[in-house]
Amino acid sequence: MRILIAPDKFKGTLTGPEAAAAMAEGALRVYPDAVVTSLPIADGGEGTVEAAVAAGFSERLSTVIGPILKPVAAVWGFNDGGKVAVIETAQASGYLLSEPTVENSLRAHSYGSGQLVAAALDAGAEEIIIGLGGSAMTDGGTGALRALGLKLLDVHGNLVPLGGGPLVDVVAVDASGLDARLAAVKVRMAVDVDNPLYGYNGAAHVFGPQKGADPDAVELLDAGLRNLASVVREATGIDIDVPGAGAAGGFPSMFVAYANATVERGFDLVADLIDLETHLDDADLVITGEGSLDAQSLSGKGPLGVADAAHARGLPVVVVAGRITVTPQQLAKHGVVAAVSATDVAGSPEAALADAARYTTIATSEALNGI
């Protein structure tokens, strides 16, 4: 039997590769002669670089400026043969790198993510994939492009400080110093949301509070993004408020205007990156999962995206997750023939979290024995 194991991360407990290893152990307990292939997946946010490295990309490390000006070590991936780089905003500008305070919500920036783009350009990348998610900033991607030579000016012609809060003071954008190499590479931005840049469903209102913004800060950040869009539209004629522009604090918006960039569904982009289709062609059974399989999972992203692709080939799918809050009937529509959670076998969420790998292994064996 050929088993493909393609889980997303179990957020807070297991990385994608760690979850895959635990599932592989459980699968081999039931089918000791099986040929097991591990292929961690991601939705385009946190874990995208891990998935790329697990699929064969070389791992690179760059020291960049974090979201509140402290240096951080950021991991990214590079495919020398295809000249493709994979970076994440979470690595350079992630919310775990900044305390979620009101002050930080206004001054956090994406400068370090731009430095990763520069590192990819220096490595000779011809295509750069940017996984968006887990970010600390709400700066519309301005920090990243400032690391690449863009200037934001106030009414006096002075540089506007980094961060989302100061965006209300921007009256002009100077792109004359922008790194010319940006025009020659393809930038693909992976998103798992379709939020607009600003407004009630925009970056500031939806994601600002979890980054520390209080109601006044949310309004200021939203006004800044709205102002930025107006300034850019006047300067370039481009509307940067595209679907998904609200991801990672509005990160895609400025790249849409000043780079050869596209906004793409994260799961589809990652599936293409790791060649999921070819691996499914070689499989007899698929095991997938994530930390929490819930109503949001039913949209077809992540594990159920894998399940749908497998189901289309007539392959049986087994789901193993930290917890499962959807019904077997709902999962069956995606070709899932068995589903067991680590919480079920551990007896409580606390026990499952305390020894996630062990209980994921046991859950995998139980799920396979139940087919």
Side-chain angles (χ1 to χ4, degrees):
M1 179 178 287
R2 299 168 299 175
I3 302 176
L4 176 64
I5 299 180
D8 203 340
K9 63 186 175 298
F10 283 39
K11 194 169 184 178
T13 56
L14 301 174
T15 65
E18 289 170 344
M23 291 176 180
E25 182 179 344
L28 289 170
R29 290 180 182 179
V30 180
Y31 299 108
D33 297 324
V35 176
V36 175
T37 300
S38 294
L39 190 74
I41 62 165
D43 282 333
E46 297 164 90
T48 299
V49 170
E50 284 177 348
V53 170
F57 279 59
S58 62
E59 186 175 280
R60 303 287 181 94
L61 184 68
S62 297
T63 299
V64 299
I65 296 174
I68 52 171
L69 300 180
K70 294 181 180 179
V72 299
V75 177
W76 54 288
F78 191 67
N79 180 334
D80 295 274
K83 301 296 182 184
V84 178
V86 180
I87 69 177
E88 290 178 19
T89 55
Q91 285 283 336
S93 314
Y95 69 89
L96 293 178
L97 303 172
S98 171
E99 290 293 325
T101 65
V102 173
E103 180 185 7
N104 284 344
S105 73
L106 296 173
R107 68 188 184 111
H109 57 79
S110 56
Y111 194 93
S113 294
Q115 290 178 300
L116 288 185
V117 172
L121 292 171
D122 291 342
E126 296 175 0
E127 180 177 312
I128 300 174
I129 294 170
I130 307 177
L132 303 182
S135 65
M137 68 284 177
T138 312
D139 73 343
T142 54
L145 282 180
R146 289 177 68 161
L148 295 161
L150 194 76
K151 295 179 181 178
L152 303 182
L153 306 175
D154 64 17
V155 68
H156 303 294
N158 299 319
L159 290 175
V160 173
L162 289 166
L167 293 181
V168 291
D169 296 325
V170 175
V171 300
V173 178
D174 179 1
S176 61
L178 192 62
D179 194 321
R181 296 175 297 176
L182 266 184
V185 302
K186 183 177 183 181
V187 178
R188 302 173 69 189
M189 295 175 288
V191 304
D192 64 357
V193 299
D194 59 3
N195 298 76
L197 179 60
Y198 53 80
Y200 184 74
N201 292 315
H205 281 279
V206 175
F207 305 112
Q210 68 194 41
K211 301 175 184 183
D214 64 9
D216 288 340
V218 165
E219 292 298 335
L220 179 60
L221 291 167
D222 188 67
L225 293 173
R226 193 181 298 270
N227 177 58
L228 183 69
S230 176
V231 172
V232 172
R233 188 183 305 112
E234 184 176 345
T236 66
I238 297 172
D239 183 3
I240 61 176
D241 187 19
V242 299
F251 189 95
S253 57
M254 290 295 280
F255 279 81
V256 168
Y258 293 101
N260 178 24
T262 55
V263 180
E264 303 181 35
R265 183 172 178 255
F267 172 74
D268 293 340
L269 197 160
V270 175
D272 179 56
L273 178 72
I274 64 177
D275 202 12
L276 175 63
E277 298 286 334
T278 297
H279 285 88
L280 287 172
D281 289 339
D282 293 333
D284 299 310
L285 171 70
V286 176
I287 304 175
T288 186
E290 62 184 330
S292 178
L293 199 76
D294 51 33
Q296 290 187 344
S297 306
L298 297 176
S299 63
K301 64 181 184 178
L304 292 190
V306 173
D308 288 338
H311 187 42
R313 289 168 167 74
L315 297 173
V317 179
V318 169
V319 163
V320 177
R323 67 168 189 158
I324 300 173
T325 60
V326 294
T327 67
Q329 292 76 19
Q330 289 173 308
L331 292 176
K333 295 178 181 179
H334 298 271
V336 176
V337 298
V340 176
S341 75
T343 298
D344 289 337
V345 298
S348 71
E350 293 76 19
L353 288 169
D355 201 350
R358 173 171 174 258
Y359 287 115
T360 297
T361 294
I362 297 171
T364 303
S365 295
E366 288 200 7
L368 291 174
N369 280 322
I371 296 177

